[in-house]
Amino acid sequence: MIRILAKVLIFNLLLAGKLFAQQTPYESGGKNVTATYEQCISFYRQLCTQFSGITLEESGMTDAGFPLHLVLLGSERKPSLKKWHAENKCILFINNGIHPGEPDGIDASMLWVRDLLVQRAEGSIPDNIGIAIIPVYNIGGCLNRSPFQRVDQNGPEEFGSRGNSQNLDLNRDFIKCDSREARSFARLFHQVDPDIFIDNHVSDGADYPYVMTMATTQHNKLGGPMGKYLHDVFEPALFEQMRQKGFPMIPYVNVWGKDASLGWKTFFDSPRYSSGFAALHNVFSFVPETHMLKPYPQRVEATYTFMQSVLDYCRVHAEAIQSQREAMKQYQMQQQDFPLDWETSDSNYTPLEFQGYRYKKFKSGVSGLDYYSYDRQDTFRKTIPFYNFSFPTVAVKRPLAYVVPQGWWKVIELLQLNQVEMYALPEDDSIDIEAYQVKEFTSGERLFEWHHVINSMKLEKKCYRKKFRRGDWYIPLNQDKVRFIIEVLEPQGMDSYFYWNFFDPVLVQKEGYSEYSFEPLAADYLNQHPEVRTLLNEVIRAQPEKMKTASAQLEFVYKHSPYAEPAWNEIPVFRVVNAASCLRDFLELDRKPLGNKWDE
């Protein structure tokens, strides 16, 4: 009898909790309204007064002048990151509103958190899991609301804009950190140290019947034990869970206004993107993308279901997820070759059962001319190729360490922001290093996210003993940030600091000469160094047209003399190597154009 009364009491308490828990603006607005920034934060504050098991903290500043917030949700009364790490909980980190015109995650997270708290007594929040959520990341974009900013999106009634308060696309800013949001996120990301990261989005490239698609870090690029586990186990399990819960899901449809029936290549998330950034820190990353043309309630429900599916999987497999991350760190401590750029294979693919709409020719009501679109009345189902295998096109050998001179403080600050272990040299010292000399480069003609990125380059590697000053920064690679360090400091990295213009000043010559005064010095130098005269003659014979002027030959002598400016075109990231590796005096490295190919 006592047990029956206890169950009745628990049921009544749960019912009272459900009635007492507030509605979201999405619910009270007829499920076609998204919460404003103020409503969202107010909602979470109210939950903190109603329930234990949730905290809301401020975690850094944004360009909008408002603080970034972090919600912590756990089975204990007052969740904390310190407690989670001490208890080795598996941490799920969710980001919402990086593009506030894609608000599905904002509203779905509000619903999900409330429901988890109401059902907490029923074990809705596993004891072995901690959930961390950014309610709204791009606050500036969220404040800039309009019903017109995504012309091809089916609800809600109005929503935020893609650009932040500096009109930056924050999903291109995780490496360069031009925004306060990105800097606050980096600090927060390392404080949370998640095992799994979800960044909620809405897609806008093609039309198809599915409400939800999913992009993940490309498994070959992730590599090692984590890449294999992601491809063989984790991803298939999430697809199956979503199917069972009524939202059959397919990989992100990386087709932009074209015929999806021909198949497509996987979206390749370079480190500028949230999931690509997370991959550099050995975190499983998922980008659920609901479909823009589906009704808003379906999209919110699908996002809710996806987050719950990940939680359900973690509940059972938390230990396996964490062990894969630890194995990955150990793998990288031994890894010697690090890929920096990738190509998606045109021949290797995964067969994918796909239901789609026929891609047909229609007559334009605007111009009267033909255009192509999708016919929702003409569906098909077929097996298509999903090209989700990639191979490296550029790789580097792991050095012992790097040294970055202290004058490049912008780079130093970004490394420290990402908790890279580094040490200021205690005194002046000379170190054997490899240095990259930029022989040729091209930069983008079109401005891209505040930068004219380096599209292509030709490098020459040279070895010598270089003097460094006290306070220059020594960065060893026997640390678990090794992959991040290599990918941002090696110039050929897809999103390296060199790519994003942090070292552009070295590409501009600061010293020079007047021909009338340098001419006699150059002649004397050639007389004293016949080997340079021999080299000059060889170049004249090989490139007679280029070397036919006196100025061209004088320039050649200048560049091969001690008068040449040593810092010109030398990238100030120096690889610490052993003596044997310095026997490779010069190594030509070519990199093909990259540009903005992932943003086309």
Side-chain angles (χ1 to χ4, degrees), residues 250-310:
I250 56 168
Y252 174 71
V253 183
N254 194 25
V255 173
W256 298 89
K258 296 181 181 178
D259 189 354
S261 70
L262 303 177
W264 61 85
K265 292 184 177 182
T266 183
F267 179 79
F268 198 85
D269 57 337
S270 62
R272 73 188 64 171
Y273 300 107
S274 61
S275 55
F277 171 83
L280 296 188
H281 299 286
N282 302 319
V283 175
F284 289 108
S285 306
F286 302 102
V287 180
E289 297 257 8
T290 55
H291 187 238
M292 62 188 176
L293 296 179
K294 300 301 180 288
Y296 193 53
Q298 290 184 21
R299 288 162 31 209
V300 171
E301 186 181 352
T303 304
Y304 181 116
T305 304
F306 181 84
M307 293 187 294
Q308 184 62 45
S309 296
V310 175

Side-chain angles (χ1 to χ4, degrees), residues 331-400:
Y331 170 82
Q332 288 176 347
M333 291 298 286
Q334 305 299 320
Q335 187 176 351
Q336 294 302 312
D337 296 301
F338 282 80
L340 295 176
D341 201 359
W342 297 80
E343 185 85 17
T344 302
S345 173
D346 290 321
S347 54
N348 295 339
Y349 61 86
T350 297
L352 182 67
E353 285 296 316
F354 177 69
Q355 184 176 352
Y357 302 134
R358 298 287 179 191
Y359 191 63
K360 293 182 176 180
K361 185 186 296 185
F362 294 86
K363 189 69 68 176
S364 169
V366 176
S367 65
L369 302 176
D370 291 338
Y371 77 100
Y372 284 87
S373 186
Y374 304 90
D375 185 352
R376 290 190 171 190
Q377 305 306 312
D378 189 356
T379 62
F380 67 88
R381 183 182 294 273
K382 63 180 290 192
T383 301
I384 63 170
F386 174 49
Y387 298 94
N388 61 334
F389 292 88
S390 298
F391 56 90
T393 56
V394 176
V396 293
K397 291 286 184 184
R398 171 199 197 117
L400 300 176

Side-chain angles (χ1 to χ4, degrees), residues 57-94:
E57 337 176 322
E58 293 183 0
S59 300
M61 188 50 64
T62 68
D63 288 345
F66 292 89
L68 200 64
H69 284 86
L70 181 69
V71 175
L72 298 181
L73 195 65
S75 59
E76 59 274 77
R77 284 190 58 81
K78 190 173 182 180
S80 75
L81 292 172
K82 184 176 181 180
K83 184 176 178 62
W84 289 354
H85 292 147
E87 296 178 356
N88 197 33
K89 288 197 175 189
C90 184
I91 300 178
L92 171 60
F93 188 21
I94 299 169

Side-chain angles (χ1 to χ4, degrees), residues 63-64 97-102 136-145 149-150 159-172 179 181 449:
D63 288 345
I98 193 169
H99 297 147
E102 307 170 18
V136 180
Y137 181 51
N138 181 356
I139 297 171
C142 193
L143 295 171
N144 184 19
R145 289 167 69 95
Q149 292 176 126
R150 287 172 70 92
F159 33 78
S161 64
R162 189 177 183 88
N164 85 329
S165 295
Q166 296 188 78
N167 205 32
L168 290 169
D169 187 333
L170 295 182
N171 202 28
R172 310 291 186 272
S179 66
E181 286 90 338
E449 293 299 312

Side-chain angles (χ1 to χ4, degrees), residues 144-155:
N144 184 19
R145 289 167 69 95
S146 167
F148 304 115
Q149 292 176 126
R150 287 172 70 92
V151 64
D152 49 3
Q153 184 165 287
N154 185 5

Side-chain angles (χ1 to χ4, degrees), residues 241-533:
Q241 282 206 37
M242 289 292 286
R243 185 191 66 79
Q244 292 179 6
K245 293 173 181 176
F247 284 100
M249 184 172 69
I250 56 168
Y252 174 71
V253 183
N254 194 25
V255 173
W256 298 89
K258 296 181 181 178
D259 189 354
S261 70
L262 303 177
W264 61 85
K265 292 184 177 182
T266 183
F267 179 79
F268 198 85
D269 57 337
S270 62
R272 73 188 64 171
Y273 300 107
S274 61
S275 55
F277 171 83
L280 296 188
H281 299 286
N282 302 319
V283 175
F284 289 108
S285 306
F286 302 102
V287 180
E289 297 257 8
T290 55
H291 187 238
M292 62 188 176
L293 296 179
K294 300 301 180 288
Y296 193 53
Q298 290 184 21
R299 288 162 31 209
V300 171
E301 186 181 352
T303 304
Y304 181 116
T305 304
F306 181 84
M307 293 187 294
Q308 184 62 45
S309 296
V310 175
L311 180 61
D312 291 342
Y313 184 86
C314 293
R315 181 194 302 267
V316 179
H317 302 286
E319 187 175 335
I321 291 167
Q322 291 177 309
S323 67
Q324 292 297 324
R325 289 193 71 210
E326 186 57 36
M328 190 71 174
K329 293 174 184 178
Q330 295 303 317
Y331 170 82
Q332 288 176 347
M333 291 298 286
Q334 305 299 320
Q335 187 176 351
Q336 294 302 312
D337 296 301
F338 282 80
L340 295 176
D341 201 359
W342 297 80
E343 185 85 17
T344 302
S345 173
D346 290 321
S347 54
N348 295 339
Y349 61 86
T350 297
L352 182 67
E353 285 296 316
F354 177 69
Q355 184 176 352
Y357 302 134
R358 298 287 179 191
Y359 191 63
K360 293 182 176 180
K361 185 186 296 185
F362 294 86
K363 189 69 68 176
S364 169
V366 176
S367 65
L369 302 176
D370 291 338
Y371 77 100
Y372 284 87
S373 186
Y374 304 90
D375 185 352
R376 290 190 171 190
Q377 305 306 312
D378 189 356
T379 62
F380 67 88
R381 183 182 294 273
K382 63 180 290 192
T383 301
I384 63 170
F386 174 49
Y387 298 94
N388 61 334
F389 292 88
S390 298
F391 56 90
T393 56
V394 176
V396 293
K397 291 286 184 184
R398 171 199 197 117
L400 300 176
Y402 294 96
V403 181
V404 178
Q406 58 200 286
W408 299 95
W409 53 269
K410 292 180 182 178
V411 166
I412 298 301
E413 284 185 354
L414 290 182
L415 293 170
Q416 292 171 337
L417 188 66
N418 284 279
Q419 296 190 358
V420 170
E421 294 179 17
M422 48 202 301
Y423 311 94
L425 294 178
E427 57 188 25
D428 295 355
D429 199 0
S430 295
I431 303 174
D432 288 330
I433 57 92
E434 289 179 334
Y436 290 109
Q437 195 84 19
V438 180
K439 309 304 290 184
E440 298 175 14
F441 75 95
T442 61
S443 60
E445 295 181 3
R446 180 171 62 92
L447 189 67
F448 176 66
E449 293 299 312
W450 221 346
H451 296 261
H452 288 280
V453 295
I454 304 297
N455 280 337
S456 64
M457 68 187 81
K458 189 172 185 179
L459 304 175
E460 187 178 81
K461 191 188 291 183
K462 60 181 181 179
C463 302
Y464 64 99
R465 192 165 185 82
K466 181 176 176 62
K467 292 181 179 179
F468 293 96
R469 293 191 296 113
R470 179 172 64 89
D472 291 342
W473 289 94
Y474 185 88
I475 307 164
L477 290 190
N478 58 338
Q479 57 176 297
D480 62 11
K481 297 290 189 294
V482 56
R483 181 172 183 180
F484 174 82
I485 297 168
I486 288 176
E487 293 216 24
V488 297
L489 290 185
E490 289 288 336
Q492 300 167 95
M494 291 181 290
D495 280 314
S496 70
Y497 293 145
F498 181 76
Y499 175 85
W500 285 112
N501 308 132
F502 283 89
F503 298 118
D504 274 11
V506 304
L507 302 177
V508 180
Q509 187 176 1
K510 304 300 188 295
E511 305 288 353
Y513 60 87
S514 298
E515 290 188 8
Y516 74 90
S517 62
F518 182 58
E519 173 65 37
L521 285 175
D524 288 343
Y525 185 77
L526 284 180
N527 289 334
Q528 296 169 21
H529 296 83
E531 71 280 5
V532 179
R533 168 69 77 181

